[in-house]
Amino acid sequence: MRVHKLTFAALAVAAGLSLTACQNGDDGTGKSAPSAGSHASAQAGGSSSNGSDQGSGSDSGGSDQTGGTGTGKGSAGKGSAGNGSTAGTGTDASGKVERCHTDELEVTAKDDTIDGDPSGNVAVEFKNGGGHDCSISGYAGVDLKTNSGTVSAKRTGASAGRSILKNGQSIAFAVTYPLNKTGGSGVRITGLLVTPPNETKTVTLAWPGAATLPVTDGSGEPVRVGPIGSAGQGG
């Protein structure tokens, strides 16, 4: 009886060793069997090379699956933040160039009157110093400060186009006013107030033109302002 027990025990050990050798050895192709753990991890995590680096593709699928290929137009692709369309260009979320703001403009004025002109002319220049493109159009607000009060310029009514100013670029408009040819002291001009189009902040400048306006009862020639881009055109 003891001999039979030893024989059964030896057979059990041999069977166990044979099973272990089959599990740890080759599968007949010269390659080790893959680890079940690493295979599950690859399915759950997706392919790292197809993630945000390929975010510029179209929505061709995989975007709703965990660890998909990331081919949708996400923030790492060609979205509004991905292609830099709004950074440093002055564009808003819709891709339009923002208007020029008072604080971004360098405003200057110079006498632009030519000998023989029936009226005086002043050219007011806006220079873009905001560091990005900006859009400007229409009419600026213009007021002349005088020793008799403020005189508001009237628009000429000329059409006003839209201009895009790159950083450092300038554009000007004309202010025309009646020359004092009466021989009297006239109305002394003490300053020029300019408000860029669609803005509420005003810039105060020294007046570069003739020193006075003629005294009038309101029936004379008014001070006029031309649209943006009208400098040198007489308003």
Side-chain angles (χ1 to χ4, degrees), residues 30-133:
K31 298 181 179 178
S32 299
S35 168
S38 63
H39 180 65
S41 175
Q43 287 182 331
S47 172
S48 61
S49 63
N50 290 331
S52 62
D53 289 343
Q54 294 186 8
S56 62
S58 60
D59 292 325
S60 59
S63 59
D64 294 332
Q65 298 177 356
T66 302
T69 58
T71 57
K73 294 183 180 180
S75 61
K78 291 186 177 180
S80 61
N83 63 4
S85 61
T86 61
T89 62
T91 57
D92 59 20
S94 65
K96 296 181 179 179
V97 178
E98 295 180 4
R99 75 171 185 269
C100 300
H101 299 290
T102 302
D103 290 337
E104 300 173 334
L105 295 171
E106 299 173 18
V107 188
T108 57
K110 66 177 182 179
D111 185 18
D112 202 31
T113 305
I114 299 175
D115 290 342
D117 283 351
S119 301
N121 290 277
V122 166
V124 179
E125 182 179 272
F126 291 141
K127 182 178 180 179
N128 180 11
H132 54 74
D133 298 355

Side-chain angles (χ1 to χ4, degrees), residues 19-46:
L19 178 61
T20 302
C22 290
Q23 289 178 340
N24 293 335
D26 295 340
D27 58 2
T29 62
K31 298 181 179 178
S32 299
S35 168
S38 63
H39 180 65
S41 175
Q43 287 182 331

Side-chain angles (χ1 to χ4, degrees), residues 127-206:
K127 182 178 180 179
N128 180 11
H132 54 74
D133 298 355
C134 67
S135 172
I136 192 166
S137 64
Y139 285 78
V142 173
D143 297 290
L144 271 61
K145 293 173 63 177
T146 76
N147 61 342
S148 298
T150 301
V151 177
S152 296
K154 296 182 178 181
R155 296 181 178 183
T156 61
S159 60
R162 178 173 178 266
S163 298
I164 302 297
L165 293 183
K166 294 186 179 298
N167 186 47
Q169 286 189 333
S170 302
I171 195 168
F173 65 90
V175 177
T176 61
Y177 61 95
L179 296 172
N180 183 17
K181 300 177 181 179
T182 63
S185 59
V187 178
R188 183 167 56 86
I189 304 172
T190 60
L192 173 64
L193 305 178
V194 178
T195 307
N198 302 308
E199 291 289 293
T200 58
K201 188 172 184 179
T202 299
V203 176
T204 301
L205 303 172

